[in-house]
Amino acid sequence: MTRKPGNEMWGGRFAQGPDAIMEAINASIDFDKRLYREDIAGSMAHAAMLAEKGIISAEDASSIRDGLARILDEIESGRFTFSRALEDIHMNVEARLAELIGPAAGRLHTARSRNDQVAVDFRLYVKRALQDLERGLSAFMEALIDRAEEHAATVMPGFTHLQAAQPVTFGHHCLAYVEMAARDRSRVRDALVRMDESPLGAAALAGTGFPIDRHMTAEALGFRGPTRNSLDSVSDRDFAIEFLSVAAIASMHLSRLAEEIVIWSTPQFDFVRLSDAFSTGSSIMPQKKNPDAAELVRAKTGRINGSLVSLLTIMKGLPLSYSKDMQEDKEQVFDAVDSLSLALSAMTGMVRDLAVNAATMRAAAGAGFSTATDLADFLVREAGLPFREAHHVTGRVVALAESRKVALEDLPLDALREIDPRLDAAVYGVLSVDASVASRTSFGGTAPDNVRQAVRWWRDQLAAGA
Ligand code: ARG
């Protein structure tokens, strides 16, 4: 077995270095190096506060700051060597700082532990990820709103049970997804408010005897203030779980649209065509154009759900306060960040590029006696029938059209009057799909005028940053 010399960070108590397997299970640097910016920002804020409070000298604080700035530059320019023996990003940075500035580096960790350090780094990272997600959702909403405006009056079948139900407009359908994305954005904002507290200064778990100023570091790092309980500060991963649950819900929405695009782009439906930019061919069947991007958006949802369930499960049995189990939080969040940002960009691109086949949509919208409800409503409105009776009369009209294999509007008036003499020629005015959607003017209904109004409302909302 390979044995390494004792760890320089806690070497005092150890006679021997870790087993190679111990190092492999323990090291997180391969993934937590993604926190380098947050780690350096946290250390800079901490060092400045220590100097301000007279806990370290101003000279030490300034060489710590210069050294950290140099490390940031080394990492960003790819000149930094990450070491597994140094376990994680925190110790990699600190060890390099010691190489660069000597013993003063050892003063940085005064009144701090890796437990509050990782908590503050990870919160900063998740905050940034949520801010990016908010921007991505806004861009997705804009793409949908543009298509909704363009297709405010494009008629398509609306479905329940995936059976054609009543005609709707494609614009209205697009705006349904705007509603979902807007709720996702509001969940992002709620989560950001809740996680806006700095755990830095909770130290290992109990706080510290040094006269630190946690309000100062919180402010320097852009938090509303410090967390109130040191035990909770180092043991809380709610912010990561909330990120994953927000991500899982947003991803579920993207997956539903992805599923619709998969269905709509089949030759059997032929409602939309994906652009060449967002589809793939088959290596054996030359005629094929496959919706791979939509399918992968659908599949990424599975990964993100998995990450949420993983972290909930990792946390559920942990006693207070910190346990190393919590190191497993990062890969879940990183994977979800990557999966969701890719899925969101791909979906925004697909929505923008999608070619809408209005003629097939219109033909499908009129099939299956989709305006039967309009006929029943006509009888209620014009002839004063109770809705239940109107429903019954309409059922007989539908049965007749079905037996003659014609559309409702192709039945002659005398055939209609034979079923119910209260039907007159005016009924033909409500049987077309255009008349049907135009009549749906109730608040939130699918009428083209409503869609145009909703588009204007959403544009104002987005412009106002709401
Ligand atoms: N790499 C660790 C993590 O991500 C940092 C905190 C380690 N703390 C400790 N007491 N071993 O959780």
Side-chain angles (χ1 to χ4, degrees):
M1 297 230 164
T2 352
R3 300 281 182 197
K4 304 228 167 157
N7 187 300
E8 60 197 88
M9 298 292 157
W10 58 61
R13 194 177 185 277
F14 284 69
Q16 243 186 357
D19 190 280
I21 300 294
M22 176 60 205
E23 187 177 294
I25 195 173
N26 199 37
S28 55
I29 188 62
D30 293 340
F31 51 85
D32 71 14
K33 59 174 128 182
R34 254 174 102 151
L35 297 176
Y36 74 88
R37 257 183 292 181
E38 290 77 13
D39 194 69
I40 289 171
S43 288
M44 284 193 173
H46 185 64
M49 180 277 292
L50 290 177
E52 177 73 24
K53 302 300 290 179
I55 300 167
I56 65 173
S57 70
E59 301 77 68
D60 284 348
S62 108
S63 53
I64 288 171
R65 192 189 47 240
D66 293 348
L68 289 170
R70 187 153 153 207
I71 293 170
L72 181 65
D73 184 57
E74 287 178 355
I75 296 176
E76 300 212 302
S77 60
R79 284 178 293 123
F80 191 93
T81 318
F82 291 100
S83 152
R84 277 188 145 197
L86 290 165
E87 249 187 81
D88 57 23
I89 184 63
H90 323 297
M91 295 206 290
N92 268 268
V93 169
E94 196 184 320
R96 178 66 183 141
L97 188 63
E99 282 173 13
L100 290 173
I101 69 167
R107 299 194 184 277
L108 172 60
H109 214 50
T110 314
R112 186 178 77 170
S113 149
R114 276 189 297 156
N115 297 349
D116 59 336
Q117 193 179 355
V118 73
V120 76
D121 291 4
F122 202 28
R123 274 203 200 216
L124 287 168
Y125 179 90
V126 171
K127 274 178 72 178
R128 193 156 54 86
L130 281 169
Q131 284 152 359
D132 291 346
L133 177 56
E134 188 179 357
R135 274 189 292 276
L137 286 166
S138 300
F140 177 51
M141 288 167 73
E142 262 169 51
L144 287 163
I145 292 166
D146 287 349
R147 299 315 303 260
E149 181 166 47
E150 186 188 335
H151 291 285
T154 302
V155 181
M156 71 179 283
F159 297 88
T160 61
H161 314 270
L162 196 57
Q163 310 279 332
Q166 291 176 356
V168 296
T169 56
F170 184 62
H172 198 52
H173 200 110
C174 290
L175 291 183
Y177 283 97
V178 172
E179 298 286 339
M180 295 176 230
R183 288 195 295 274
D184 292 331
R185 248 182 16 163
S186 107
R187 270 183 282 274
V188 165
R189 291 168 180 173
D190 290 349
L192 275 168
V193 171
R194 239 178 327 273
M195 71 181 67
D196 199 18
E197 289 176 345
S198 170
L200 187 60
L205 76 164
T208 174
F210 289 101
I212 59 171
D213 183 347
R214 295 191 55 210
H215 289 86
M216 183 181 165
T217 46
E219 191 185 334
L221 293 170
F223 289 100
R224 185 176 59 224
T227 50
R228 277 170 307 279
N229 182 296
S230 63
L231 287 171
D232 179 54
S233 304
V234 297
S235 74
D236 166 40
R237 289 297 180 271
D238 289 6
F239 60 95
I241 294 170
E242 275 201 76
F243 167 76
L244 290 172
S245 61
V246 167
I249 296 173
S251 180
M252 174 272 291
H253 292 146
L254 296 180
S255 183
R256 294 183 74 173
L257 180 54
E259 170 66 6
E260 298 206 290
I261 289 175
V262 169
I263 294 172
W264 293 342
S265 63
T266 56
Q268 289 73 18
F269 263 79
D270 197 27
F271 282 7
V272 300
R273 292 241 167 105
L274 285 167
S275 66
D276 288 353
F278 282 99
S279 42
T280 52
S282 157
S283 55
I284 173 166
M285 297 165 283
Q287 84 283 11
K288 292 205 70 172
K289 205 165 166 186
N290 294 326
D292 292 36
E295 293 168 292
L296 287 163
V297 167
R298 205 168 53 182
K300 297 282 186 206
T301 310
R303 290 173 75 131
I304 295 171
N305 290 350
S307 294
L308 171 61
V309 173
S310 291
L311 189 51
L312 284 168
T313 312
I314 288 164
M315 296 303 296
K316 74 174 269 293
L318 298 186
L320 302 189
S321 59
Y322 177 86
S323 296
K324 196 61 172 265
D325 310 50
M326 290 160 70
Q327 177 164 284
E328 296 280 316
D329 55 2
K330 283 162 223 66
E331 286 164 292
Q332 305 305 332
V333 168
F334 294 157
D335 189 74
V337 166
D338 294 342
S339 298
L340 184 56
S341 79
L342 209 47
L344 196 48
S345 308
M347 196 45 95
T348 304
M350 274 185 275
V351 166
R352 287 218 171 277
D353 279 19
L354 211 62
V356 173
N357 193 345
T360 4
M361 280 187 177
R362 165 175 290 275
F369 315 111
S370 64
T371 56
T373 316
D374 298 274
L375 174 55
D377 289 349
F378 173 87
L379 285 166
V380 170
R381 207 171 46 240
E382 306 299 327
L385 271 68
F387 183 77
R388 276 294 152 230
E389 193 186 340
H391 186 286
H392 184 77
V393 171
T394 306
R396 293 181 57 205
V397 173
V398 169
L400 179 66
E402 199 166 30
S403 72
R404 293 195 185 179
K405 296 185 181 7
V406 295
L408 294 179
E409 61 263 48
D410 296 330
L411 288 170
L413 185 60
D414 52 358
L416 292 176
R417 293 179 71 96
E418 214 167 287
I419 292 171
D420 194 305
R422 287 167 292 190
L423 285 163
D424 60 36
V427 73
Y428 293 102
V430 304
L431 293 179
S432 74
V433 290
D434 289 298
S436 173
V437 295
S439 75
R440 301 285 195 254
T441 51
S442 57
F443 186 77
T446 194
D449 282 346
N450 284 26
V451 173
R452 289 185 197 102
Q453 214 177 320
V455 162
R456 281 193 296 277
W457 188 83
W458 276 119
R459 288 206 194 287
D460 288 347
Q461 292 291 109
L462 285 182

